[in-house]
Amino acid sequence: MQKPAKQALTFWLIGTTLILLALGSWLGMPNTPEGTGEAMGRVIAQTGLPAFLVWWHARSRNPLWSWMKFGSAYVVAVIAFGLLATMGRAHAEEPLPFEATFAQAWTVERLAGVSSAPQDQAAGVRQRARLNRADGAAVIEIACSWLRPNDHPDVRVQLSGVVNGMSDGLSKQDITLDEGTTSALSEGHRAWWQVNLRAHDASGTRSMQTIAMTSTESCIATATLTGTPQAYALQASEFASVLDHLQFHSTSSK
């Protein structure tokens, strides 16, 4: 391996390690594995791209750059990319198109996209609240998937598609998804379609879930409560309260 490549790899590893240590020690990592994965991915990208660009610039220099010179250029590049990324996120992270109210015990965070899949990053926004207690864990997630102009989807059909996709995915893990009756309800002066689900395998019930879906002027809104059986039963009233107080803001489709 040539010297510039060794320098780029070394400083990339050092930069990534230092930033991850800072996140873990002082700033704190996100509260969910999904959020942690997204944060680590951003760190690796924002330290790797500067290393590549400095390597590209230094690889044909004669004489080759010293470790001090390469490292100084890399630090400047990392800072510049960090500032650009911060400015980009500040511009892109607009207010959520909804306002959800959770009890104080819940840990709430905003996640990118309507799912962690790359193709869903620009498809909408979501907010997740997590509760971990001795009786189990529960998660409430609110997501808005942007509608195209003149889109008028059938919410019940959309909900059925979500459930079918979940069932297919779980079946590949030898987990069966039992689907309850899809019912209409009114919460917070808004009509929702709702279904209750139970995921189980040979060892018993893995999780319980309620999915509620409605449409707004700009998005398909999906609210889910997922939890271990005991936690799910205990937090069902909290989920109903969140739906009842959920407020949507008027905004244009993305």
PDB file of all heavy atoms in Angstrom, residues 36-64:
ATOM      1  N   THR A  36     -28.890   4.655  16.639  1.00  0.00           N
ATOM      2  CA  THR A  36     -27.445   4.500  16.774  1.00  0.00           C
ATOM      3  C   THR A  36     -26.805   4.144  15.448  1.00  0.00           C
ATOM      4  O   THR A  36     -25.751   4.681  15.081  1.00  0.00           O
ATOM      5  CB  THR A  36     -27.124   3.415  17.820  1.00  0.00           C
ATOM      6  OG1 THR A  36     -27.664   3.805  19.089  1.00  0.00           O
ATOM      7  CG2 THR A  36     -25.619   3.225  17.961  1.00  0.00           C
ATOM      8  N   GLY A  37     -27.432   3.243  14.705  1.00  0.00           N
ATOM      9  CA  GLY A  37     -26.903   2.860  13.402  1.00  0.00           C
ATOM     10  C   GLY A  37     -26.855   4.036  12.438  1.00  0.00           C
ATOM     11  O   GLY A  37     -25.878   4.207  11.704  1.00  0.00           O
ATOM     12  N   GLU A  38     -27.911   4.861  12.448  1.00  0.00           N
ATOM     13  CA  GLU A  38     -27.932   6.025  11.574  1.00  0.00           C
ATOM     14  C   GLU A  38     -26.833   7.016  11.954  1.00  0.00           C
ATOM     15  O   GLU A  38     -26.170   7.598  11.092  1.00  0.00           O
ATOM     16  CB  GLU A  38     -29.298   6.702  11.644  1.00  0.00           C
ATOM     17  CG  GLU A  38     -30.411   5.865  11.021  1.00  0.00           C
ATOM     18  CD  GLU A  38     -31.774   6.517  11.153  1.00  0.00           C
ATOM     19  OE1 GLU A  38     -31.848   7.620  11.738  1.00  0.00           O
ATOM     20  OE2 GLU A  38     -32.759   5.934  10.686  1.00  0.00           O
ATOM     21  N   ALA A  39     -26.623   7.219  13.286  1.00  0.00           N
ATOM     22  CA  ALA A  39     -25.581   8.144  13.736  1.00  0.00           C
ATOM     23  C   ALA A  39     -24.198   7.644  13.341  1.00  0.00           C
ATOM     24  O   ALA A  39     -23.347   8.422  12.875  1.00  0.00           O
ATOM     25  CB  ALA A  39     -25.668   8.320  15.250  1.00  0.00           C
ATOM     26  N   MET A  40     -23.947   6.352  13.521  1.00  0.00           N
ATOM     27  CA  MET A  40     -22.648   5.793  13.155  1.00  0.00           C
ATOM     28  C   MET A  40     -22.408   5.887  11.651  1.00  0.00           C
ATOM     29  O   MET A  40     -21.287   6.164  11.208  1.00  0.00           O
ATOM     30  CB  MET A  40     -22.560   4.340  13.629  1.00  0.00           C
ATOM     31  CG  MET A  40     -22.498   4.189  15.135  1.00  0.00           C
ATOM     32  SD  MET A  40     -22.379   2.465  15.660  1.00  0.00           S
ATOM     33  CE  MET A  40     -20.750   2.035  15.030  1.00  0.00           C
ATOM     34  N   GLY A  41     -23.451   5.668  10.870  1.00  0.00           N
ATOM     35  CA  GLY A  41     -23.311   5.785   9.420  1.00  0.00           C
ATOM     36  C   GLY A  41     -22.926   7.192   8.997  1.00  0.00           C
ATOM     37  O   GLY A  41     -22.074   7.382   8.117  1.00  0.00           O
ATOM     38  N   ARG A  42     -23.537   8.198   9.638  1.00  0.00           N
ATOM     39  CA  ARG A  42     -23.188   9.577   9.310  1.00  0.00           C
ATOM     40  C   ARG A  42     -21.752   9.889   9.693  1.00  0.00           C
ATOM     41  O   ARG A  42     -21.037  10.569   8.951  1.00  0.00           O
ATOM     42  CB  ARG A  42     -24.146  10.543  10.024  1.00  0.00           C
ATOM     43  CG  ARG A  42     -25.545  10.571   9.436  1.00  0.00           C
ATOM     44  CD  ARG A  42     -26.319  11.771   9.927  1.00  0.00           C
ATOM     45  NE  ARG A  42     -26.534  11.736  11.370  1.00  0.00           N
ATOM     46  CZ  ARG A  42     -27.597  11.219  11.942  1.00  0.00           C
ATOM     47  NH1 ARG A  42     -28.554  10.693  11.191  1.00  0.00           N
ATOM     48  NH2 ARG A  42     -27.738  11.222  13.249  1.00  0.00           N
ATOM     49  N   VAL A  43     -21.323   9.391  10.860  1.00  0.00           N
ATOM     50  CA  VAL A  43     -19.946   9.647  11.300  1.00  0.00           C
ATOM     51  C   VAL A  43     -18.945   9.028  10.331  1.00  0.00           C
ATOM     52  O   VAL A  43     -17.959   9.667   9.923  1.00  0.00           O
ATOM     53  CB  VAL A  43     -19.719   9.096  12.723  1.00  0.00           C
ATOM     54  CG1 VAL A  43     -18.224   9.120  13.085  1.00  0.00           C
ATOM     55  CG2 VAL A  43     -20.501   9.916  13.741  1.00  0.00           C
ATOM     56  N   ILE A  44     -19.180   7.773   9.954  1.00  0.00           N
ATOM     57  CA  ILE A  44     -18.250   7.082   9.047  1.00  0.00           C
ATOM     58  C   ILE A  44     -18.177   7.807   7.708  1.00  0.00           C
ATOM     59  O   ILE A  44     -17.095   7.974   7.129  1.00  0.00           O
ATOM     60  CB  ILE A  44     -18.687   5.617   8.862  1.00  0.00           C
ATOM     61  CG1 ILE A  44     -18.474   4.846  10.181  1.00  0.00           C
ATOM     62  CG2 ILE A  44     -17.901   4.949   7.740  1.00  0.00           C
ATOM     63  CD1 ILE A  44     -19.065   3.447  10.173  1.00  0.00           C
ATOM     64  N   ALA A  45     -19.328   8.274   7.203  1.00  0.00           N
ATOM     65  CA  ALA A  45     -19.328   8.982   5.924  1.00  0.00           C
ATOM     66  C   ALA A  45     -18.620  10.321   6.029  1.00  0.00           C
ATOM     67  O   ALA A  45     -17.844  10.702   5.141  1.00  0.00           O
ATOM     68  CB  ALA A  45     -20.765   9.177   5.447  1.00  0.00           C
ATOM     69  N   GLN A  46     -18.848  11.058   7.118  1.00  0.00           N
ATOM     70  CA  GLN A  46     -18.296  12.398   7.252  1.00  0.00           C
ATOM     71  C   GLN A  46     -16.819  12.400   7.624  1.00  0.00           C
ATOM     72  O   GLN A  46     -16.173  13.442   7.559  1.00  0.00           O
ATOM     73  CB  GLN A  46     -19.109  13.194   8.275  1.00  0.00           C
ATOM     74  CG  GLN A  46     -20.509  13.521   7.767  1.00  0.00           C
ATOM     75  CD  GLN A  46     -21.384  14.189   8.806  1.00  0.00           C
ATOM     76  OE1 GLN A  46     -20.910  14.617   9.854  1.00  0.00           O
ATOM     77  NE2 GLN A  46     -22.667  14.288   8.525  1.00  0.00           N
ATOM     78  N   THR A  47     -16.285  11.251   8.031  1.00  0.00           N
ATOM     79  CA  THR A  47     -14.840  11.162   8.232  1.00  0.00           C
ATOM     80  C   THR A  47     -14.166  10.473   7.042  1.00  0.00           C
ATOM     81  O   THR A  47     -12.985  10.730   6.773  1.00  0.00           O
ATOM     82  CB  THR A  47     -14.504  10.381   9.517  1.00  0.00           C
ATOM     83  OG1 THR A  47     -15.140   9.090   9.470  1.00  0.00           O
ATOM     84  CG2 THR A  47     -14.969  11.133  10.749  1.00  0.00           C
ATOM     85  N   GLY A  48     -14.912   9.632   6.340  1.00  0.00           N
ATOM     86  CA  GLY A  48     -14.330   8.906   5.211  1.00  0.00           C
ATOM     87  C   GLY A  48     -14.191   9.741   3.951  1.00  0.00           C
ATOM     88  O   GLY A  48     -13.175   9.656   3.248  1.00  0.00           O
ATOM     89  N   LEU A  49     -15.194  10.590   3.672  1.00  0.00           N
ATOM     90  CA  LEU A  49     -15.118  11.396   2.463  1.00  0.00           C
ATOM     91  C   LEU A  49     -13.961  12.395   2.502  1.00  0.00           C
ATOM     92  O   LEU A  49     -13.227  12.535   1.513  1.00  0.00           O
ATOM     93  CB  LEU A  49     -16.448  12.115   2.226  1.00  0.00           C
ATOM     94  CG  LEU A  49     -16.568  12.895   0.914  1.00  0.00           C
ATOM     95  CD1 LEU A  49     -16.288  12.005  -0.287  1.00  0.00           C
ATOM     96  CD2 LEU A  49     -17.963  13.511   0.784  1.00  0.00           C
ATOM     97  N   PRO A  50     -13.726  13.101   3.626  1.00  0.00           N
ATOM     98  CA  PRO A  50     -12.543  13.972   3.680  1.00  0.00           C
ATOM     99  C   PRO A  50     -11.236  13.200   3.491  1.00  0.00           C
ATOM    100  O   PRO A  50     -10.313  13.687   2.832  1.00  0.00           O
ATOM    101  CB  PRO A  50     -12.626  14.592   5.079  1.00  0.00           C
ATOM    102  CG  PRO A  50     -14.069  14.565   5.414  1.00  0.00           C
ATOM    103  CD  PRO A  50     -14.590  13.300   4.808  1.00  0.00           C
ATOM    104  N   ALA A  51     -11.143  11.989   4.060  1.00  0.00           N
ATOM    105  CA  ALA A  51      -9.931  11.184   3.890  1.00  0.00           C
ATOM    106  C   ALA A  51      -9.709  10.847   2.422  1.00  0.00           C
ATOM    107  O   ALA A  51      -8.573  10.908   1.916  1.00  0.00           O
ATOM    108  CB  ALA A  51     -10.031   9.907   4.722  1.00  0.00           C
ATOM    109  N   PHE A  52     -10.791  10.515   1.723  1.00  0.00           N
ATOM    110  CA  PHE A  52     -10.670  10.187   0.302  1.00  0.00           C
ATOM    111  C   PHE A  52     -10.220  11.397  -0.510  1.00  0.00           C
ATOM    112  O   PHE A  52      -9.342  11.292  -1.379  1.00  0.00           O
ATOM    113  CB  PHE A  52     -12.009   9.673  -0.230  1.00  0.00           C
ATOM    114  CG  PHE A  52     -12.034   9.489  -1.724  1.00  0.00           C
ATOM    115  CD1 PHE A  52     -11.444   8.374  -2.304  1.00  0.00           C
ATOM    116  CD2 PHE A  52     -12.633  10.445  -2.544  1.00  0.00           C
ATOM    117  CE1 PHE A  52     -11.451   8.201  -3.686  1.00  0.00           C
ATOM    118  CE2 PHE A  52     -12.640  10.282  -3.921  1.00  0.00           C
ATOM    119  CZ  PHE A  52     -12.043   9.159  -4.488  1.00  0.00           C
ATOM    120  N   LEU A  53     -10.804  12.565  -0.239  1.00  0.00           N
ATOM    121  CA  LEU A  53     -10.472  13.755  -1.012  1.00  0.00           C
ATOM    122  C   LEU A  53      -9.041  14.220  -0.756  1.00  0.00           C
ATOM    123  O   LEU A  53      -8.341  14.641  -1.692  1.00  0.00           O
ATOM    124  CB  LEU A  53     -11.467  14.880  -0.688  1.00  0.00           C
ATOM    125  CG  LEU A  53     -12.905  14.640  -1.156  1.00  0.00           C
ATOM    126  CD1 LEU A  53     -13.804  15.781  -0.722  1.00  0.00           C
ATOM    127  CD2 LEU A  53     -12.965  14.471  -2.666  1.00  0.00           C
ATOM    128  N   VAL A  54      -8.595  14.136   0.509  1.00  0.00           N
ATOM    129  CA  VAL A  54      -7.214  14.514   0.807  1.00  0.00           C
ATOM    130  C   VAL A  54      -6.256  13.525   0.143  1.00  0.00           C
ATOM    131  O   VAL A  54      -5.216  13.915  -0.411  1.00  0.00           O
ATOM    132  CB  VAL A  54      -6.984  14.587   2.334  1.00  0.00           C
ATOM    133  CG1 VAL A  54      -5.505  14.851   2.641  1.00  0.00           C
ATOM    134  CG2 VAL A  54      -7.844  15.680   2.952  1.00  0.00           C
ATOM    135  N   TRP A  55      -6.598  12.237   0.189  1.00  0.00           N
ATOM    136  CA  TRP A  55      -5.765  11.237  -0.488  1.00  0.00           C
ATOM    137  C   TRP A  55      -5.685  11.525  -1.994  1.00  0.00           C
ATOM    138  O   TRP A  55      -4.608  11.456  -2.591  1.00  0.00           O
ATOM    139  CB  TRP A  55      -6.343   9.839  -0.276  1.00  0.00           C
ATOM    140  CG  TRP A  55      -5.762   8.817  -1.225  1.00  0.00           C
ATOM    141  CD1 TRP A  55      -4.564   8.179  -1.111  1.00  0.00           C
ATOM    142  CD2 TRP A  55      -6.358   8.350  -2.454  1.00  0.00           C
ATOM    143  NE1 TRP A  55      -4.371   7.338  -2.189  1.00  0.00           N
ATOM    144  CE2 TRP A  55      -5.456   7.420  -3.031  1.00  0.00           C
ATOM    145  CE3 TRP A  55      -7.555   8.621  -3.102  1.00  0.00           C
ATOM    146  CZ2 TRP A  55      -5.726   6.775  -4.220  1.00  0.00           C
ATOM    147  CZ3 TRP A  55      -7.822   7.981  -4.297  1.00  0.00           C
ATOM    148  CH2 TRP A  55      -6.908   7.070  -4.847  1.00  0.00           C
ATOM    149  N   TRP A  56      -6.831  11.861  -2.598  1.00  0.00           N
ATOM    150  CA  TRP A  56      -6.866  12.141  -4.033  1.00  0.00           C
ATOM    151  C   TRP A  56      -5.965  13.323  -4.380  1.00  0.00           C
ATOM    152  O   TRP A  56      -5.276  13.309  -5.406  1.00  0.00           O
ATOM    153  CB  TRP A  56      -8.305  12.429  -4.453  1.00  0.00           C
ATOM    154  CG  TRP A  56      -8.465  12.672  -5.932  1.00  0.00           C
ATOM    155  CD1 TRP A  56      -8.455  13.864  -6.587  1.00  0.00           C
ATOM    156  CD2 TRP A  56      -8.655  11.674  -6.932  1.00  0.00           C
ATOM    157  NE1 TRP A  56      -8.629  13.690  -7.931  1.00  0.00           N
ATOM    158  CE2 TRP A  56      -8.761  12.343  -8.173  1.00  0.00           C
ATOM    159  CE3 TRP A  56      -8.766  10.278  -6.902  1.00  0.00           C
ATOM    160  CZ2 TRP A  56      -8.955  11.672  -9.374  1.00  0.00           C
ATOM    161  CZ3 TRP A  56      -8.970   9.606  -8.101  1.00  0.00           C
ATOM    162  CH2 TRP A  56      -9.060  10.297  -9.310  1.00  0.00           C
ATOM    163  N   HIS A  57      -5.932  14.309  -3.511  1.00  0.00           N
ATOM    164  CA  HIS A  57      -5.119  15.492  -3.766  1.00  0.00           C
ATOM    165  C   HIS A  57      -3.636  15.220  -3.506  1.00  0.00           C
ATOM    166  O   HIS A  57      -2.773  15.762  -4.211  1.00  0.00           O
ATOM    167  CB  HIS A  57      -5.605  16.644  -2.881  1.00  0.00           C
ATOM    168  CG  HIS A  57      -4.915  17.944  -3.141  1.00  0.00           C
ATOM    169  ND1 HIS A  57      -5.063  18.659  -4.310  1.00  0.00           N
ATOM    170  CD2 HIS A  57      -4.052  18.661  -2.374  1.00  0.00           C
ATOM    171  CE1 HIS A  57      -4.342  19.753  -4.262  1.00  0.00           C
ATOM    172  NE2 HIS A  57      -3.711  19.790  -3.093  1.00  0.00           N
ATOM    173  N   ALA A  58      -3.354  14.354  -2.514  1.00  0.00           N
ATOM    174  CA  ALA A  58      -1.966  14.158  -2.097  1.00  0.00           C
ATOM    175  C   ALA A  58      -1.263  13.028  -2.833  1.00  0.00           C
ATOM    176  O   ALA A  58      -0.025  12.945  -2.815  1.00  0.00           O
ATOM    177  CB  ALA A  58      -1.926  13.884  -0.592  1.00  0.00           C
ATOM    178  N   ARG A  59      -2.011  12.158  -3.494  1.00  0.00           N
ATOM    179  CA  ARG A  59      -1.422  10.931  -4.022  1.00  0.00           C
ATOM    180  C   ARG A  59      -0.367  11.179  -5.105  1.00  0.00           C
ATOM    181  O   ARG A  59       0.560  10.382  -5.271  1.00  0.00           O
ATOM    182  CB  ARG A  59      -2.512  10.013  -4.580  1.00  0.00           C
ATOM    183  CG  ARG A  59      -3.241  10.565  -5.786  1.00  0.00           C
ATOM    184  CD  ARG A  59      -4.492   9.767  -6.119  1.00  0.00           C
ATOM    185  NE  ARG A  59      -5.237  10.367  -7.211  1.00  0.00           N
ATOM    186  CZ  ARG A  59      -5.131   9.987  -8.466  1.00  0.00           C
ATOM    187  NH1 ARG A  59      -4.314   8.993  -8.795  1.00  0.00           N
ATOM    188  NH2 ARG A  59      -5.834  10.588  -9.403  1.00  0.00           N
ATOM    189  N   SER A  60      -0.485  12.275  -5.863  1.00  0.00           N
ATOM    190  CA  SER A  60       0.451  12.522  -6.954  1.00  0.00           C
ATOM    191  C   SER A  60       1.477  13.602  -6.622  1.00  0.00           C
ATOM    192  O   SER A  60       2.198  14.053  -7.514  1.00  0.00           O
ATOM    193  CB  SER A  60      -0.332  12.914  -8.219  1.00  0.00           C
ATOM    194  OG  SER A  60      -1.131  14.061  -7.970  1.00  0.00           O
ATOM    195  N   ARG A  61       1.530  14.037  -5.354  1.00  0.00           N
ATOM    196  CA  ARG A  61       2.467  15.076  -4.965  1.00  0.00           C
ATOM    197  C   ARG A  61       3.885  14.525  -4.891  1.00  0.00           C
ATOM    198  O   ARG A  61       4.104  13.384  -4.449  1.00  0.00           O
ATOM    199  CB  ARG A  61       2.055  15.680  -3.627  1.00  0.00           C
ATOM    200  CG  ARG A  61       0.709  16.390  -3.670  1.00  0.00           C
ATOM    201  CD  ARG A  61       0.732  17.607  -4.572  1.00  0.00           C
ATOM    202  NE  ARG A  61      -0.613  18.154  -4.754  1.00  0.00           N
ATOM    203  CZ  ARG A  61      -0.869  19.260  -5.419  1.00  0.00           C
ATOM    204  NH1 ARG A  61       0.128  19.921  -5.987  1.00  0.00           N
ATOM    205  NH2 ARG A  61      -2.103  19.680  -5.560  1.00  0.00           N
ATOM    206  N   ASN A  62       4.812  15.331  -5.313  1.00  0.00           N
ATOM    207  CA  ASN A  62       6.225  14.934  -5.253  1.00  0.00           C
ATOM    208  C   ASN A  62       7.024  16.131  -4.721  1.00  0.00           C
ATOM    209  O   ASN A  62       7.084  17.177  -5.368  1.00  0.00           O
ATOM    210  CB  ASN A  62       6.725  14.522  -6.637  1.00  0.00           C
ATOM    211  CG  ASN A  62       8.107  13.904  -6.588  1.00  0.00           C
ATOM    212  OD1 ASN A  62       8.565  13.505  -5.526  1.00  0.00           O
ATOM    213  ND2 ASN A  62       8.762  13.843  -7.739  1.00  0.00           N
ATOM    214  N   PRO A  63       7.622  16.015  -3.523  1.00  0.00           N
ATOM    215  CA  PRO A  63       7.666  14.795  -2.714  1.00  0.00           C
ATOM    216  C   PRO A  63       6.327  14.510  -2.033  1.00  0.00           C
ATOM    217  O   PRO A  63       5.476  15.392  -1.939  1.00  0.00           O
ATOM    218  CB  PRO A  63       8.740  15.130  -1.678  1.00  0.00           C
ATOM    219  CG  PRO A  63       8.643  16.612  -1.515  1.00  0.00           C
ATOM    220  CD  PRO A  63       8.338  17.149  -2.893  1.00  0.00           C
ATOM    221  N   LEU A  64       6.166  13.265  -1.584  1.00  0.00           N
ATOM    222  CA  LEU A  64       4.946  12.883  -0.886  1.00  0.00           C
ATOM    223  C   LEU A  64       4.791  13.690   0.400  1.00  0.00           C
ATOM    224  O   LEU A  64       5.773  14.070   1.035  1.00  0.00           O
ATOM    225  CB  LEU A  64       4.970  11.386  -0.560  1.00  0.00           C
ATOM    226  CG  LEU A  64       4.947  10.440  -1.763  1.00  0.00           C
ATOM    227  CD1 LEU A  64       5.081   9.003  -1.289  1.00  0.00           C
ATOM    228  CD2 LEU A  64       3.658  10.619  -2.575  1.00  0.00           C
TER     229      LEU A  64
END
